[in-house]
Amino acid sequence: MSSDSPLELKKELLDDFYAECDELLTSIRAELTRLEATVDGRDPDPGTIEALFRHLHSLKGISAIVGLRPAEQLAHGAEDLLRALSKKTVRLSPVILEALQVATQRLGQIVSGHRRRKALPDIGEILKQLRQLVPARTKPPMESAAVSEASPEVKADPLEAARQQGLQLYSVSFSPSANLDARGVNVNAVRERLKAIGQIVRATPSVREGSIVFEFVVGVRETPADFAPWENDGLHFEAIPASAPDGETARTAQSRDAEDAESLSLTPSHIVRVDLARLDELMRITGEMVIHRSRLEERINQEKSGPGLKEVNLALARSLRELREAISRVRMVPIAEIFTRMPFVVRDLVRNSEKKVRVSLEGHQTEVDKYLVERLKEPLLHLVRNAFAHGIESPAERTAAGKPPEATILLRARSAGEALVIQIRDDGRGVDLVALAARASALGLKVPESLDAGSALRILCTPGFSTRDEADLAAGRGVGMAVVANTVRELGGTLALDSTLGLGTEFTLRLPLTLSIAEAIIVSVGQETCAVPQSAVDEIIQPSAGEARLIQGTTVIPYRGSLLPIIRLRTMFKLPDTPGGTLTVLVVSSERGAIGLVVDRVRAQREIVIRPLADRLLRVPGISGATELGDGRPILILDPVAITQGVVRPPSDSPVDANLPEARVS
């Protein structure tokens, strides 16, 4: 058994520990959110209590394995409180819920500090509070009543107590079998034999590879002269060093506490943790295979090969698509990883203010690419803080406005085709467009004459802009919304604002579910070939060029009983226009409505590998990346979101549109 310190354990083992801690803490937060719904007097769901107990017990166990004693002690204290709740010796109250939430938050800080090798937070106060909330008659008998409340230590080590008696400690394992049982060698007989040679300090059953193994720690004054008879009866002895490492003490503590987990399942796990970088590498290799298949298809078309080779190519295409979809599914994780953190964020803000706010979560089981989850943590945090700081009124203001004193911040997620839609809504005061325009003018920003939701959003996302003169812990620095807008744009998504004065504000984020390989429409504009993500295109239409009209400087065409604004990519690329009788228009969806992109020709629909433009000097508004087709030439991927939202504006002196008839507006 190794005597290395916890920080000297293999990096792979610690990485597994941190990954499992993240999963367990996410599950604990989700269960606490469910538990919060029953604080109003209803009996808590036993399944929720059991799940919390199981997650905390697992966290305590793995913390013991790596020697993270504070996390082990704190999880044990929370377990005791949950045990009292399950036995109904205490009733769920806001105080108990708050203690469990603070304990969970402190557990996350302990794990984070251990990962970064920083000083760990003090657990004395919260541990004392957890103990005070547990009635004395429900505390486990193994816990010493003489332990000082001010001390974070939970219980004395029985191994050390045995050593102080002068006993030599041995670890003894016994695996029962039918052959041994036929000879009368069973666990009861083994227990009696061990008692005959010494003192059983600890006895714990466990499961190894589907078989039950009984582990004993025995203290003896005289070491047996010959272990051969014991070995023949299925017992294996191993001496425990006089100074057992922290890992050994923690492991045996974990085994002891397993007896308290009556409902802990011992079923085998079918989950394998894989580093995200390895999945990225798999996706990269799959992307290379997609490019090679495109080259193969191009060569087959050039050689005019027979149907047999084309059939093989189609089969290869199907297999690659299935491989890509399978890898994408592996990368998918519930967005609850982010959502379940937000109630804790709001609770911290509430603690330092007079506001009353509850967080409601919907669709938190919606699955999204792990990369997106990591990138969205900061933007969603900013949006929730802004909702609390700028949107939510004080209880007195809400009561005067006829609203309940407690405000609600809603986080909702859903998948819409190949896109993820996230909404953050509050029922606060809403955005005052007049006040916003005045503030923007005072800061020297350009304000349009007619301020709508889109213009207001652009002002709010301007770096350095804030409606406050002084910053606090929640908002006021003028960076939050800029971070949100930049991150959403970098991810190829859209951000929309919907606000009603006095009723509330809603931000909507629309993002692609995956970012590596996507379906695209290949188009031509002059001599240039470009790709447009298929998820952004609703349909392709071909109206007559004579139907185009100008309305207040915007070119529009009739579309489904209404009008569709169009943008000519030839004009945007500053290419000479060629008059024609028919327009080819890609109808692009956005939160503000549909807009048409006019191209010369639609060439094909392809599966493409997205290569982002990492060099800042190469980044161009309206271009989201590049890809490669079968001929080996790189082509640019257009960003229809940036184009349709005005990030890229066509020249105002468009020679063709200037000659269009001006339509009358009634």
Side-chain angles (χ1 to χ4, degrees), residues 80-119:
D80 289 344
L81 183 54
L82 288 169
R83 185 184 293 108
L85 281 173
S86 65
K87 294 181 179 180
K88 299 185 178 180
T89 54
V90 297
R91 289 190 61 83
L92 182 63
S93 66
V95 175
I96 288 179
L97 181 65
E98 177 74 14
L100 290 172
Q101 290 166 339
V102 172
T104 302
Q105 186 179 40
R106 197 74 76 243
L107 284 169
Q109 294 170 350
I110 292 171
V111 174
S112 177
H114 188 268
R115 175 184 295 177
R116 296 181 295 171
R117 302 191 181 189
K118 302 292 184 182

Side-chain angles (χ1 to χ4, degrees), residues 59-378:
L59 182 60
K60 178 178 71 174
I62 62 175
S63 298
I65 290 174
V66 301
L68 192 53
R69 185 68 171 163
E72 180 190 3
Q73 295 169 346
L74 190 53
H76 182 82
E79 273 186 324
D80 289 344
L81 183 54
L82 288 169
R83 185 184 293 108
L85 281 173
S86 65
K87 294 181 179 180
K88 299 185 178 180
T89 54
V90 297
R91 289 190 61 83
L92 182 63
S93 66
V95 175
I96 288 179
L97 181 65
E98 177 74 14
L100 290 172
Q101 290 166 339
V102 172
T104 302
Q105 186 179 40
R106 197 74 76 243
L107 284 169
Q109 294 170 350
I110 292 171
V111 174
S112 177
H114 188 268
R115 175 184 295 177
R116 296 181 295 171
R117 302 191 181 189
K118 302 292 184 182
L120 303 184
D122 178 57
I123 63 170
E125 184 177 349
I126 181 59
L127 198 58
K128 178 180 178 182
Q129 183 181 1
L130 291 172
R131 289 173 180 167
Q132 290 174 342
L133 291 172
V134 179
R137 63 179 180 277
T138 65
K139 292 182 180 179
M142 70 179 66
E143 183 173 349
S144 174
V147 178
S148 171
E149 290 183 346
S151 172
E153 293 298 327
V154 177
K155 59 193 79 173
D157 182 11
L159 298 183
E160 196 60 38
R163 288 194 185 97
Q164 291 177 0
Q165 298 176 18
L167 300 178
Q168 171 65 40
L169 298 181
Y170 283 87
S171 172
V172 185
S173 62
F174 171 67
S175 301
S177 67
N179 293 334
L180 292 175
D181 188 62
R183 293 165 43 195
V185 181
N186 53 38
V187 66
N188 292 327
V190 168
R191 191 184 297 271
E192 294 301 321
R193 289 177 65 178
L194 293 177
K195 286 181 179 179
I197 65 170
Q199 174 185 344
I200 298 178
V201 180
R202 185 169 298 148
T204 306
S206 62
V207 175
R208 294 181 185 175
E209 300 179 355
S211 301
I212 296 179
V213 177
F214 294 91
E215 296 181 345
F216 301 89
V217 175
V218 183
V220 298
R221 295 194 179 277
E222 293 184 6
T223 304
D226 186 9
F227 287 110
W230 301 85
E231 296 282 347
N232 294 334
D233 289 338
L235 283 83
H236 303 282
F237 279 73
E238 181 181 351
I240 299 178
S243 57
D246 292 343
E248 170 65 17
T249 304
R251 186 188 65 81
T252 51
Q254 176 194 12
S255 302
R256 177 184 66 249
D257 292 329
E259 298 176 356
D260 295 333
E262 300 89 350
S263 60
L264 186 63
S265 172
L266 295 178
T267 56
S269 173
H270 299 286
I271 297 176
V272 177
R273 292 185 181 86
V274 180
D275 189 271
L276 187 59
R278 297 187 180 183
L279 292 179
D280 290 338
E281 181 67 11
L282 280 178
M283 188 62 79
R284 184 194 66 79
I285 296 172
T286 305
E288 296 293 338
M289 294 173 67
V290 169
I291 293 174
H292 295 326
R293 196 209 65 83
S294 297
R295 291 176 178 173
L296 175 62
E297 183 178 27
E298 190 78 16
R299 182 61 60 88
I300 290 174
N301 293 333
Q302 290 176 358
E303 300 291 339
K304 297 182 180 180
S305 303
L309 192 55
K310 290 183 178 179
E311 183 178 344
V312 172
N313 180 54
L314 291 175
L316 177 61
R318 285 194 297 269
S319 298
L320 282 175
R321 184 185 300 273
E322 291 175 0
L323 176 61
R324 188 255 296 180
E325 292 175 351
I327 296 176
S328 297
R329 285 194 297 271
V330 172
R331 295 172 60 95
M332 294 295 194
V333 295
I335 201 168
E337 284 195 16
I338 311 176
F339 275 20
T340 53
R341 298 171 185 261
M342 297 308 160
F344 294 85
V345 173
V346 172
R347 192 166 291 108
D348 285 341
L349 296 174
V350 168
R351 191 177 293 115
N352 297 318
S353 73
E354 61 177 7
K355 297 180 181 180
K356 297 181 179 180
V357 186
R358 62 182 293 268
V359 177
S360 178
L361 307 179
E362 294 182 9
H364 50 281
Q365 293 303 321
T366 302
E367 292 191 333
V368 64
D369 192 292
K370 175 66 173 178
Y371 175 76
L372 284 178
V373 168
E374 296 300 322
R375 290 296 305 274
L376 287 175
K377 286 180 180 178
E378 188 176 7

